[in-house]
Amino acid sequence: VIINRSMEEKIYFVTGNKNKLKEVQMIWPEIEGLELDLKEIQELEPKKILEEKLEEAKKHKPNTCLMVEDLSLEINGMNGLPGPLIKWFLKSVGRESVYKMAKLFGNQEAIARVTLGFTDGEENKYFEGIVKGKIVEPRGESDFGWDPIFVPEGFGKTFAEMGVEEKNKISHRKIALEKLRKFVEEK
């Protein structure tokens, strides 16, 4: 990929979620929000989901630097489920039940994963951020679905208990955004 564009060219984060946009902009303020209603296929492979989102977004905003993301919460005892389907698990059964399922399966270790899809209008690239941790009984208030049940490795607090500034120092989203920023700055 040859991006002979300076950082003066905007990168648009395609999302309808104002909280995600706010968190992304706290990490990388130059990112602009772009609200588009994109179809989201149901799939266990994040890159397939992002590929579809990027292709759809390019139809609305061709020849533009676009970013989309997919969040996964992979619970070891559930063989990686709910993974990218976490949004639907939370909508159907709620945080408390996701915690109870993890506990029932006997292994509450989990991986918080964000995968970013980026396009310069022609070629797509993917960047991943992972934070290992465990699923716990809900603690703390948050605008993010599973933050109250995820405690990152090496910490005693859930993402929700940390608050956004502390979370952003170690989050899976920050890790992926730093990889994307490095890629863009090197081009």
Side-chain angles (χ1 to χ4, degrees):
V1 167
I2 298 175
I3 300 178
N4 43 14
R5 300 175 167 121
S6 69
M7 284 310 295
E8 295 164 42
E9 169 126 9
K10 294 183 183 343
I11 296 174
Y12 293 93
F13 178 33
V14 181
T15 183
N17 186 322
K18 302 281 186 226
N19 293 316
K20 280 186 186 179
L21 176 60
K22 182 180 173 186
E23 197 170 281
V24 164
Q25 289 175 327
M26 286 179 78
I27 298 166
W28 192 353
E30 295 81 13
I31 298 283
E32 297 266 338
L34 178 62
E35 192 170 337
L36 293 176
D37 189 21
L38 301 178
K39 295 183 291 188
E40 185 170 321
I41 63 168
Q42 299 310 299
E43 168 67 53
L44 292 176
E45 175 54 50
K47 284 184 183 170
K48 289 182 184 177
I49 296 167
L50 293 173
E51 195 172 280
E52 291 289 325
K53 282 183 176 181
L54 283 172
E55 293 310 310
E56 180 83 10
K58 283 194 262 187
K59 291 176 189 172
H60 295 278
K61 197 101 166 138
N63 303 314
T64 305
C65 291
L66 301 170
M67 178 182 84
V68 295
E69 80 166 21
D70 187 70
L71 283 170
S72 295
L73 184 63
E74 302 162 12
I75 301 171
N76 291 2
M78 295 172 61
N79 233 11
L81 283 174
L85 305 174
I86 184 60
K87 175 181 175 181
W88 309 112
F89 269 63
L90 291 172
K91 200 176 256 194
S92 295
V93 299
R95 297 170 180 150
E96 182 74 27
S97 293
V98 171
Y99 157 70
K100 287 178 180 176
M101 282 188 269
K103 190 172 178 184
L104 182 68
F105 278 92
N107 182 346
Q108 292 166 247
E109 291 177 11
I111 294 173
R113 179 188 315 267
V114 69
T115 309
L116 300 177
F118 172 80
T119 184
D120 62 358
E122 294 178 20
E123 190 174 348
N124 300 344
K125 292 286 185 182
Y126 303 93
F127 305 88
E128 191 172 78
I130 293 173
V131 174
K132 292 180 179 180
K134 66 181 177 181
I135 303 301
V136 298
E137 201 163 5
R139 302 192 317 242
E141 293 300 316
S142 176
D143 293 327
F144 290 100
W146 47 266
D147 278 9
I149 62 171
F150 184 78
V151 174
E153 209 171 70
F155 291 82
K157 297 189 271 188
T158 65
F159 271 164
E161 291 172 309
M162 287 182 176
V164 72
E165 289 186 13
E166 185 178 358
K167 175 188 167 190
N168 278 348
K169 291 178 183 173
I170 63 157
S171 79
H172 46 304
R173 185 171 284 125
K174 179 182 187 207
I175 294 165
L177 281 168
E178 285 178 346
K179 289 177 182 178
L180 171 59
R181 187 193 303 245
K182 183 176 186 225
F183 170 77
V184 169
E185 288 175 352
E186 289 176 355
K187 296 298 167 191

